[in-house]
Amino acid sequence: MKNFPNLLFEKVVSAKMWCDVLVVGNGGAGIRAAVTAADLEQEVLLLGESRVGQSGSTFYPLSHDWGMLYAVDEEDVQHFSEEIISASGGCMNEKLAKKLAEDSNRAFRRLQEGGVSFVPMEEVGITGCFGRKPRGAFLKDRDAFIQFSERELEERGNIHFHSKMTVISLLAREKRCCGAVAVSERGELIQIAAKAVVLACGGGEGLYEYGASYGRLYGGAYAMAARHGVRLANLEFIQFVHGSVTPRRGINYYPFSYVELPKVQNRKGEECLSKYLPEGMTEEECLLAHAAHGPFSTDSKGKYLEYAMVGEGEAGNGIGLVFSPDASKVSGKRYQLWDSFLRQMGMDTGTQMALYPFAQGFNGGILLHGDMTTDMEGLYACGESAGGCHGPNRMGGLCILATQVLGEAAGKGAAEYASGRELSPHLEVKDVLREEFGCLGKGGSGQPLEIMKEVRGIMQKYACLHREEEGLKEALEKLEDLYINPMENLGKKETAEYFRAYNAVQAAGLIVYSMRQRRESRGCHDRRDYPSRDGGQEKMNWVTMENGRMTGGVLDEKT
């Protein structure tokens, strides 16, 4: 992969770079956006914090291979679109649902033709989470997808890839995005002038103590966009899945195996699930309900499994519930990919695991309009950085589809916007950053690792499964008290960490603000003080920042 030329060294900004389209993030969505823009004859700069395949939800290594949904033919497109909208509970942009359905088959065939192999879900008898029928397929080999992604980048001479770079801020002129500022691994500031920018740098799983994150997923895209008044949608909708605490931390468990009714106990070996169930519900009924979906959902009887996991921890009985499956039952075609994955981990389908809710997917992000634009001219988003394409329940396999379909759409939109435009002159970055990264918080000077530990503790306690007004208000107050000043720490090896932590604190605040706005329980959003779904709230909420302060509202349109 090629290095980008044109470096000009200065005092404050160590280097300046130029490109037509800047893509931030080299996960599945970012790569797809970069390839699309390159194929439209734009000079593309792709920035990531690591090599391809070593970060991002698409490449998360502690999960059985992901699924990808698609419509089987033209007649099925309408059914698939309706299925997506129904699962979302209406809280999404319906134009994006149609876009996902219409382009799904082409996106899937493209991967197949690139040598990526799949197993049809119908063949193994699986209906994806929150789906109506078996559709789509499971990836057979993650390494094959990584190799395909690497080839895509290497074959295009107009994609210039840099790893170990962290984008910390967007640059704007006259309300138009005209580039970004990044920090190198040596702590150098790098100014990038671009005609269009695509944010594809993931969600905020790393903001939680129990997060299934691969790389530094701190919600940086949310903070960078919001500081420019760009609205974020559905940030309160975060998927929590069953992840292992032992024997190895962070494995995404295979929920479809619950149909075999494993033994469930707390960490002390005690039967405990029944005390969390409502009168008349059996443990079998709870397990079978959760066997239909991986993520926590207040709309499912399976939610009592998570209530028990959290409740037993709060009672001092250890973190998580221990699941003891019968390997003789968890066998056959239905479990072939799960069995293969576990064997690579040195385990098998009978391995006993302690499971707990892990933050695994963000269904919200930078608000996408029906034409794939955002609130800022020249700024595009895809992957978990984008919002409006998913609701409180996201169909299993839809996230990967979105990386390909909406990644392509973001790359196309950015390329078409950049085509024929002139680059804006470089801004005086020092003044811009000094204003944008003023001292955050009121307390004493904080170190990045300490700040991140504080953030994760706050989010885990107040903004995880159970949420309520009192706790969310306290969370915001605690986040506001955290102090970190990146501008006092320029030129250090840890400089990027200071900026990441600053953005993480703001992203966490935006997420908590969104949770306070939605006063109901819906799908993955659980308000203990508003336990019921409110039919009047079938809309997307938004949040942003104005003059450094958070503000929000409700979107009246679903387009």
Side-chain angles (χ1 to χ4, degrees):
M1 300 180 192
K2 298 176 177 59
N3 287 327
F4 203 87
N6 301 330
L7 300 182
L8 174 66
F9 290 89
E10 295 184 344
K11 289 183 179 179
V12 177
V13 175
S14 298
K16 291 184 178 180
M17 307 171 80
W18 294 262
C19 62
D20 294 322
V21 176
L22 169 64
V23 179
V24 184
N26 60 320
I31 291 171
R32 188 72 193 101
V35 168
T36 302
D39 286 347
L40 292 172
E41 301 181 346
Q42 300 299 297
E43 289 292 322
V44 178
L45 176 58
L46 175 62
L47 297 186
E49 294 184 355
S50 61
R51 293 181 59 82
V52 172
Q54 294 183 354
S55 67
S57 296
T58 307
F59 300 116
Y60 186 66
L62 297 181
S63 176
H64 51 90
D65 290 324
W66 39 255
M68 180 175 175
L69 302 182
Y70 57 88
V72 295
D73 52 33
E74 288 298 320
E75 185 179 347
D76 189 38
V77 166
Q78 182 63 30
H79 297 302
F80 185 22
S81 176
E82 292 171 355
E83 201 173 354
I84 295 170
I85 294 168
S86 175
S88 78
C91 298
M92 71 172 299
N93 186 325
E94 295 182 2
K95 283 187 177 179
L96 297 179
K98 294 175 183 175
K99 173 74 173 173
L100 287 168
E102 288 169 354
D103 292 356
S104 62
N105 192 280
R106 179 170 58 84
F108 177 71
R109 299 301 170 199
R110 180 177 173 275
L111 294 182
Q112 275 194 321
E113 291 166 5
V116 182
S117 299
F118 293 86
V119 177
M121 289 191 189
E122 189 172 20
E123 187 176 303
V124 294
I126 296 293
T127 297
C129 308
F130 308 116
R132 296 174 179 171
K133 64 177 185 178
R135 73 159 65 247
F138 286 114
L139 180 70
K140 286 181 70 173
D141 183 358
R142 184 180 284 102
D143 288 340
F145 181 72
I146 293 173
Q147 291 163 12
F148 167 76
S149 301
E150 289 176 330
R151 287 197 307 273
E152 288 274 274
L153 298 178
E154 290 169 350
E155 289 171 357
R156 289 160 176 82
N158 54 340
I159 296 179
H160 311 282
F161 174 65
H162 280 268
S163 63
K164 300 183 180 179
M165 291 181 66
T166 302
V167 172
I168 59 167
S169 173
L170 297 175
L171 296 176
R173 187 186 295 274
E174 298 176 351
K175 298 183 179 179
R176 180 174 74 84
C177 189
C178 59
V181 180
V183 180
S184 73
E185 61 180 332
R186 295 187 297 272
E188 300 165 332
L189 289 182
I190 299 170
Q191 184 178 1
I192 305 158
K195 299 174 184 177
V197 175
V198 178
L199 290 180
C201 41
E205 292 88 343
L207 299 175
Y208 287 86
E209 288 180 357
Y210 293 90
S213 62
Y214 193 30
R216 300 179 182 91
L217 300 182
Y218 297 165
Y222 309 151
M224 290 190 287
R227 286 198 295 267
H228 288 272
V230 175
R231 288 175 296 176
L232 315 170
N234 287 349
L235 277 191
E236 69 272 26
F237 296 146
I238 305 169
Q239 287 191 169
F240 290 85
V241 301
H242 296 173
S244 63
V245 181
T246 63
R248 179 171 179 176
R249 183 183 172 107
I251 293 175
N252 283 351
Y253 204 71
Y254 194 64
F256 308 111
S257 67
Y258 292 152
V259 73
E260 311 300 346
L261 304 179
K263 186 177 182 181
V264 182
Q265 299 172 308
N266 65 20
R267 297 296 291 274
K268 293 182 177 180
E270 302 167 335
E271 304 284 340
C272 61
L273 179 56
S274 60
K275 66 184 180 183
Y276 294 92
L277 302 178
E279 186 176 353
M281 183 183 292
T282 65
E283 292 187 20
E284 178 178 337
E285 191 176 357
C286 177
L287 284 166
L288 290 177
H290 221 311
H293 59 90
F296 166 79
S297 176
T298 58
D299 303 324
S300 166
K301 294 179 180 179
K303 65 186 177 183
Y304 299 104
L305 268 180
E306 284 89 355
Y307 290 167
M309 290 174 182
V310 174
E312 288 302 287
E314 292 175 344
N317 294 327
I319 299 298
L321 296 182
V322 177
F323 287 71
S324 303
D326 182 341
S328 67
K329 295 180 179 179
V330 188
S331 61
K333 217 167 192 179
R334 181 180 175 88
Y335 304 107
Q336 61 182 3
L337 294 175
W338 176 232
D339 179 61
S340 175
F341 165 74
L342 288 176
R343 291 186 184 282
Q344 293 175 30
M345 299 280 125
M347 307 174 195
D348 60 37
T349 55
T351 298
Q352 186 182 80
M353 292 190 193
L355 305 179
Y356 194 73
F358 276 63
Q360 178 263 348
F362 271 67
N363 290 357
I366 297 168
L367 175 64
L368 296 183
H369 303 298
D371 60 358
M372 285 300 296
T373 60
T374 69
D375 287 344
M376 177 181 274
E377 187 179 340
L379 178 67
Y380 299 82
C382 53
E384 287 186 278
S385 294
C389 46
H390 306 300
N393 291 326
R394 183 182 70 199
M395 293 175 66
L398 195 64
C399 181
I400 294 298
L401 174 63
T403 67
Q404 301 304 297
V405 171
L406 302 186
E408 178 184 66
K412 183 174 183 288
E416 291 177 346
Y417 180 85
S419 180
R421 291 183 180 273
E422 297 294 327
L423 281 170
S424 294
H426 279 294
L427 299 170
E428 291 297 326
V429 170
K430 186 176 181 180
D431 295 335
V432 171
L433 294 184
R434 185 179 288 116
E435 180 179 349
E436 191 168 349
F437 292 96
C439 301
L440 180 65
K442 311 167 189 173
S445 181
Q447 300 298 310
L449 291 180
E450 296 170 357
I451 293 294
M452 290 309 305
K453 184 177 180 180
E454 290 280 347
V455 170
R456 292 187 184 105
I458 292 167
M459 295 298 282
Q460 193 67 39
K461 181 176 180 179
Y462 301 106
C464 189
L465 220 60
H466 292 306
R467 305 158 191 174
E468 56 189 5
E469 180 63 22
E470 189 89 13
L472 294 172
K473 181 181 178 183
E474 188 171 344
L476 276 178
E477 291 171 353
K478 288 180 178 293
L479 288 167
E480 288 171 358
D481 282 341
L482 296 180
Y483 176 98
I484 191 164
N485 190 342
M487 295 302 290
E488 291 180 349
N489 295 277
L490 297 177
K492 299 180 180 180
K493 190 176 180 181
E494 303 83 13
T495 296
E497 295 294 344
Y498 280 91
F499 282 102
R500 288 189 196 108
Y502 189 103
N503 282 336
V505 173
Q506 285 194 335
L510 290 161
I511 293 164
V512 172
Y513 191 100
S514 295
M515 292 174 175
R516 289 186 74 185
Q517 287 191 120
R518 186 165 292 280
R519 298 185 175 184
E520 64 162 351
S521 289
R522 180 185 293 270
C524 58
H525 178 65
D526 186 7
R527 281 290 297 257
R528 190 157 20 189
D529 45 353
Y530 295 95
S532 301
R533 176 181 281 210
D534 181 353
Q537 294 192 49
E538 290 186 349
K539 296 179 179 180
M540 292 186 285
N541 289 335
W542 61 267
V543 61
T544 190
M545 297 179 72
E546 293 180 0
N547 299 318
R549 299 189 64 83
M550 287 180 286
T551 184
V554 178
L555 286 165
D556 291 329
E557 301 293 330
K558 293 184 180 180
T559 57

